[in-house]
Amino acid sequence: MITVKGLTKRYARTLAVDHISFEVQKGQIVGFLGPNGAGKTTTMRILTCFLPPTDGASNVAGFDVLEQPLEVKKRIGYLPETPPLYPEMEVREYLTFVGRLKGMSGSSLAARVGEVSERCAIADVSSKLLGKLSKGYRQRVGLAQAIIHNPPVLILDEPTAGLDPKQINETRELIRSLAGDHTIILSTHILPEVEQTCQQVIIINKGKLVATDSVHNLQNRARGAESVVIEVEGRDSALDAKTVQHRLETVSGVSRVVFKETLNNRSSFEVESLQDRSIRGDLARAVVESGWNLNELRPTAMSLEEIFLQLTGAEQAGAAAPPPVEAVAQGRES
Amino acid sequence: MRNIWIICRKELHSYFVSPVAYLLLTMFALIFGFFYWNSVGYFNQVGLESQMRGQAFPMSVNEYVIRPLLSNVSVIGLFFIPMITMRLFAEEKRMGTIELLATSPVRDLEVIIGKWLAAVILYATMMLFTAINFAFLFRYGNPDWKPLAIGYLGLLLQAGGLLAIGTFISTLTRNQIIAGAATFGVCLMLWVLEWVAGYETATWAKVLAYMSVITHFDSFSKGVLDTKDAIFYASVIFLGLFLTSRSMESLRWRS
């Protein structure tokens, strides 16, 4: 539904988007994740034909954004970062205006305005001035505006910004209910939002694509099987990496042991557990009971948050710091 | 065509739900009323004097009242035009609503013409107030309506050109005050350019004087439809709208 190849956008001095390529299948909800200034909004603006790209090709709903912008615009609904509202218009007036702008008219438009107002929970303010609405209502009118013409592609720039927790849940619910018929790209810097609403994640940072994966895979990396890095030191005699590896493999719950390196009589391994097994306690005991020193025992499976932070390079040192060995060795659950 | 009308209606709506339109119409009605009152008073005075001297000469309402008034309106209009056009694009840019227009399936040109048309319609509404005053001339006098009609046509053409320039200037900034002030400056310059013709006869002076929007109104105020002047105004309109569309496009590349 959306294909982006080598998309680049250069402003006077800065490179906002740097050769991004990704694909979005029909009916999917894709989370566009990145810290502020990563290039999310710029990418979305290019996809909506608001900005022309410096280089690269993007195809939305079968049409090229540079070649046939009008055809693309007919097929997208776009909620910019700040909802594009005219303060002097009433909600119903505004939605009718946008509907007309998107090519609707007559009674079908009137019916659709009512339907969309219901769906976005703004029916109770339909004759209020947009300028008088609270932030939450403004955001939802913005969303209503984006879906008024029932477009196959929805591009939402931080759709839940400024909403209270209840409204956030309702909005996510609404977005989820739109999937299937609609292909949705939503940008956010809130991780749980991606976990809850999206099937696919695209992580970008400083204009570069860092990762694109399904939420399922990312969650597996985050939650499922445990993966730890373990470093073992020989105490009195030289350490034989093979022996250690065999010993580790016999610990219950271990599915795989990968030898990494030996340095100064210390060997390190990457150990993966079976699904839903906690192995750190048993590993520590096995090493110590065999008469070796346990130098390091560090979980490598990261939460989505950590994956995100690490991929985007922010606060890397803090997020990836290994927990103290004793604490891990004592408690099985951390 | 449909899209132009959608945009135009929206613009008229925002003129008339805000105090903008009413303020402009009231101010214009007051100012024009004062000009009209003076003009008619002077006409009566001259008429009375000529009768008292016993040598009454034929006086034309068209010549003494309507023509100078139309010229005055064309100058008063210069002051109102910036106030009409300054918000057209500057406000959309500031509010971010330009993103809605630019990502909707409408062409830039449709947006531009729709907005410009709304401005012209607001100006024409202002002209309606002059018509109320002129109606009294028809009630109590016997002026010729054709020169008046041509005068109105000239006013609309002249305003159309200046409104197009104002629309263009409004795309250059997100600050309405800047857009208004710049448009006012340009309108004023286009008015006073003709002054150089008063003391200089070189070609450059003729060119400058020709560019003045006021000189081209003379024929219209006399009730003469001169194609040369009509074409001049049409070119100003075209130039203004063309520059606006270029500016809209560059907006996308720059922003």
Side-chain angles (χ1 to χ4, degrees):
Chain A
M1 206 61 178
I2 300 171
T3 318
V4 173
K5 270 203 199 94
L7 193 69
T8 305
K9 176 71 187 177
R10 189 188 300 278
Y11 293 121
R13 261 174 244 99
T14 48
L15 194 59
V17 176
D18 190 3
H19 289 91
I20 283 186
S21 303
F22 60 87
E23 245 178 74
V24 180
Q25 303 303 323
K26 188 175 185 305
Q28 275 199 326
I29 308 183
V30 174
F32 210 46
L33 206 57
N36 291 327
K40 294 178 302 225
T41 299
T42 303
T43 310
M44 294 189 141
R45 284 181 163 175
I46 293 171
L47 290 179
T48 53
C49 312
F50 182 66
L51 287 179
T54 312
D55 198 14
S58 21
N59 189 297
V60 177
F63 296 94
D64 189 278
V65 294
L66 272 182
E67 303 294 326
Q68 290 165 295
L70 277 185
E71 295 303 317
V72 172
K73 287 176 190 177
K74 272 182 205 162
R75 289 165 179 79
I76 51 160
Y78 175 40
L79 170 64
E81 230 168 337
T82 40
L85 309 179
Y86 294 101
E88 73 277 3
M89 278 194 191
E90 288 170 11
V91 172
R92 192 186 297 113
E93 258 170 9
Y94 172 72
L95 290 177
T96 310
F97 164 68
V98 177
R100 287 207 185 102
L101 213 52
K102 309 278 180 183
M104 305 172 75
S105 60
S107 56
S108 66
L109 174 58
R112 181 70 186 157
V113 168
E115 197 183 313
V116 165
S117 307
E118 250 354 288
R119 208 157 178 187
C120 297
I122 50 170
D124 50 329
V125 292
S126 63
S127 50
K128 271 202 176 165
L129 286 179
L130 289 170
K132 306 248 182 224
L133 292 185
S134 69
K135 180 87 173 90
Y137 272 117
R138 296 166 65 90
Q139 197 70 26
R140 280 182 281 164
V141 174
L143 199 59
Q145 162 273 128
I147 61 175
I148 185 93
H149 56 307
N150 207 11
V153 177
L154 275 176
I155 295 180
L156 313 172
D157 203 347
E158 309 208 346
T160 56
L163 300 180
D164 66 36
K166 185 166 167 282
Q167 295 167 336
I168 289 181
N169 267 337
E170 287 165 3
T171 308
R172 284 179 190 156
E173 200 57 51
L174 173 66
I175 292 172
R176 267 201 300 272
S177 75
L178 291 169
D181 307 338
H182 306 260
T183 308
I184 304 173
I185 294 190
L186 66 92
S187 84
T188 180
H189 49 249
I190 307 165
L191 285 144
E193 184 155 302
V194 175
E195 287 181 274
Q196 287 172 26
T197 31
C198 307
Q199 291 133 13
Q200 191 89 20
V201 194
I202 296 167
I203 301 178
I204 67 169
N205 185 40
K206 293 181 184 141
K208 282 197 167 57
L209 190 75
V210 189
T212 157
D213 207 342
S214 70
V215 172
H216 188 70
N217 282 357
L218 281 178
Q219 277 175 336
N220 263 0
R221 269 165 79 178
R223 295 222 184 90
E226 196 174 28
S227 165
V228 293
V229 168
I230 185 167
E231 191 185 274
V232 179
E233 187 183 21
R235 206 150 154 194
D236 307 317
S237 53
L239 188 73
D240 180 22
K242 279 262 158 42
T243 326
V244 180
Q245 184 163 2
H246 285 309
R247 178 70 192 92
L248 293 179
E249 276 166 354
T250 56
V251 174
S252 84
V254 169
S255 73
R256 202 157 68 99
V257 179
V258 180
F259 170 70
K260 279 169 77 181
E261 60 177 351
T262 303
L263 209 76
N264 298 337
N265 206 23
R266 295 173 193 172
S267 301
S268 51
F269 306 87
E270 209 175 279
V271 184
E272 278 176 30
S273 75
L274 295 168
Q275 194 73 25
D276 299 325
R277 291 287 291 268
S278 188
I279 52 170
R280 276 174 282 172
D282 289 341
L283 277 178
R285 195 167 298 119
V287 169
V288 175
E289 279 170 2
S290 307
W292 300 311
N293 282 350
L294 177 60
N295 272 14
E296 189 184 7
L297 185 62
R298 166 163 61 92
T300 54
M302 292 173 286
S303 72
L304 198 48
E305 196 119 1
E306 283 170 323
I307 294 172
F308 174 69
L309 286 176
Q310 211 173 56
L311 288 173
T312 56
E315 296 170 17
Q316 193 167 11
V325 176
E326 318 88 89
V328 175
Q330 281 161 15
R332 290 169 64 98
E333 295 298 325
S334 60
Chain B
M1 224 22 233
R2 180 178 172 268
N3 291 335
I4 293 176
W5 182 231
I6 293 169
I7 301 281
C8 180
R9 258 175 64 181
K10 181 225 129 205
E11 289 304 325
L12 285 175
H13 177 269
S14 47
Y15 277 132
F16 282 94
V17 294
S18 69
V20 176
Y22 304 104
L23 183 76
L24 289 180
L25 291 174
T26 311
M27 292 305 292
F28 183 80
L30 281 175
I31 294 170
F32 181 76
F34 183 72
F35 274 74
Y36 175 82
W37 183 46
N38 278 334
S39 195
V40 173
Y42 179 72
F43 178 78
N44 286 343
Q45 180 70 24
V46 173
L48 214 60
E49 274 173 15
S50 74
Q51 267 180 350
M52 289 202 311
R53 276 194 228 105
Q55 39 180 314
F57 55 87
M59 286 174 65
S60 151
V61 183
N62 281 86
E63 205 50 36
Y64 276 79
V65 181
I66 293 180
R67 187 179 156 192
L69 272 179
L70 284 177
S71 295
N72 288 334
V73 171
S74 88
V75 174
I76 301 169
L78 296 183
F79 294 85
F80 281 81
I81 276 158
M83 291 187 259
I84 297 179
T85 58
M86 63 184 194
R87 50 167 290 281
L88 282 180
F89 280 94
E91 196 177 28
E92 301 259 10
K93 283 173 78 173
R94 196 174 56 83
M95 302 292 300
T97 45
I98 192 86
E99 267 188 272
L100 170 66
L101 297 183
T103 58
S104 291
V106 286
R107 289 181 179 82
D108 282 359
L109 202 61
E110 291 170 333
V111 174
I112 293 163
I113 293 179
K115 281 175 174 286
W116 172 77
L117 203 61
V120 172
I121 290 174
L122 180 59
Y123 186 85
T125 317
M126 271 168 42
M127 292 305 109
L128 275 183
F129 282 76
T130 67
I132 297 170
N133 291 289
F134 285 138
F136 283 96
L137 293 182
F138 284 90
R139 172 70 179 78
Y140 295 106
N142 193 21
D144 188 359
W145 66 270
K146 276 173 247 144
L148 183 59
I150 287 175
Y152 274 129
L153 177 68
L155 281 177
L156 277 183
L157 280 172
Q158 187 201 49
L162 293 174
L163 289 169
I165 291 173
T167 311
F168 163 60
I169 292 174
S170 183
T171 57
L172 300 178
T173 171
R174 52 174 54 214
N175 185 327
Q176 289 193 40
I177 308 288
I178 291 176
T183 309
F184 180 68
V186 171
C187 284
L188 209 58
M189 277 312 289
L190 286 177
W191 176 32
V192 299
L193 275 181
E194 60 147 346
W195 292 357
V196 293
Y199 58 86
E200 179 65 64
T201 51
T203 317
W204 65 263
K206 280 187 193 146
V207 172
L208 276 191
Y210 187 81
M211 279 162 57
S212 166
V213 285
I214 294 296
T215 49
H216 297 274
F217 188 68
D218 283 344
S219 62
F220 284 103
S221 72
K222 282 178 204 151
V224 178
L225 182 56
D226 191 333
T227 24
K228 175 169 72 60
D229 295 322
I231 287 173
F232 172 82
Y233 285 138
S235 337
V236 176
I237 294 174
F238 179 79
L239 179 75
L241 296 182
F242 173 76
L243 287 176
T244 315
S245 78
R246 294 290 89 185
S247 169
M248 275 275 275
E249 191 158 329
S250 86
L251 210 71
R252 296 174 168 230
W253 291 95
R254 279 184 291 124
S255 67

